[in-house]
Amino acid sequence: QTVFAAVLLVGAIGALLGFFLFVERDLQSWHVAPLIVLVALGLELIFAQPDFPAAMRLVIAVFVAVLCLPASLPQVTLRQTNVDFIAQRLGRDATAGDLIVANPWYLGITLERYYRGKATVITVPPVDDLRFHRIDQIRDRMVSAAPLQPVERSVANTLRGGGRVWVVGALHLPAARPEPLAPAPHPVSGWSEIAYTIGWSLQFGAFVRAHAQRVAREAVPL
């Protein structure tokens, strides 16, 4: 049982790191969550041996809890988003003829949860299902030659009709439209979604700069 737990710990950590090296993706903190479960199971198997003192298990558990408390406590009281305030503002000021654009795309998931107004909500690039992270659709956009065409068409139609375009998130306004990245996998960045997200944001900002009569920043609490 102890040998199995040790192999589980080493194998799980090695498999996770090896997988991210293979797919050429950056390892983020949330990717480690499944690994934490396996590590906890492995440690449980090791410490649950009959010859391991029960009192020592309790001491170790208390020590780990006390050790993690200073780093965890501030995060418990920290507000994780202000999108609910943004949704309230949009619900009050955005009309049915306006367009709301979430940039980058994953901000649209939280916005969809809180926004109850009449304006249409789209994302950069467009994602049809905002209930959760549809990475499969983002992959489809990464291999597409013109993923922003629906967004640009909606923005142009809204402005042409006299409506306003509300951008939730980032709005970079480069003087010239940057060249789009080649369809994935990119020769340099490979399947990195971050590189494409940055490129889409810059292209969207250049389109807004070229078509909008006026751009203003709205203050939001927090």
Side-chain angles (χ1 to χ4, degrees), residues 137-215:
Q137 293 193 14
I138 297 303
R139 180 194 181 281
D140 293 341
R141 305 300 179 263
M142 290 170 63
V143 300
S144 172
L148 297 187
Q149 276 189 356
V151 177
E152 295 175 351
R153 183 166 54 249
S154 297
V155 169
N157 291 338
T158 300
L159 295 176
R160 191 178 298 114
R164 293 173 295 180
V165 176
W166 303 80
V167 180
V168 176
L171 180 60
H172 307 287
L173 300 170
R177 184 183 179 93
E179 289 294 325
L181 293 180
H186 191 269
V188 177
S189 57
W191 286 99
S192 172
E193 181 261 335
I194 297 176
Y196 285 87
T197 295
I198 294 174
W200 291 329
S201 180
L202 292 173
Q203 293 172 52
F204 170 71
F207 184 87
V208 171
R209 182 188 181 103
H211 290 78
Q213 293 182 342
R214 183 176 65 90
V215 177

Side-chain angles (χ1 to χ4, degrees), residues 21-133:
L21 287 175
F22 176 75
V23 299
E24 299 179 350
R25 291 287 303 272
D26 295 329
L27 182 63
Q28 305 293 339
S29 58
W30 52 86
H31 295 144
V32 188
L35 178 63
I36 293 176
V37 177
L38 290 176
V39 169
L41 176 60
L43 294 176
E44 173 70 17
L45 291 174
I46 294 174
F47 294 147
Q49 297 297 319
D51 55 348
F52 199 93
M56 184 60 68
R57 289 199 295 268
L58 179 60
V59 169
I60 293 175
V62 172
F63 174 76
V64 172
V66 172
L67 188 66
C68 296
L69 188 61
S72 303
L73 195 57
Q75 301 299 320
V76 174
T77 58
L78 179 65
R79 209 177 202 283
Q80 299 296 318
T81 185
N82 65 346
V83 176
D84 53 332
F85 287 107
I86 296 173
Q88 292 175 10
R89 173 71 182 275
L90 292 172
R92 185 181 70 245
D93 295 344
T95 65
D98 292 347
L99 179 69
I100 300 172
V101 183
N103 179 42
W105 62 274
Y106 47 78
L107 296 181
I109 300 174
T110 313
L111 183 62
E112 179 76 7
R113 177 180 177 87
Y114 290 107
Y115 179 65
R116 296 295 180 268
K118 298 180 179 180
T120 302
V121 177
I122 62 174
T123 61
V124 178
V127 175
D128 300 329
D129 186 358
L130 294 176
R131 294 174 300 169
F132 34 75
H133 290 75

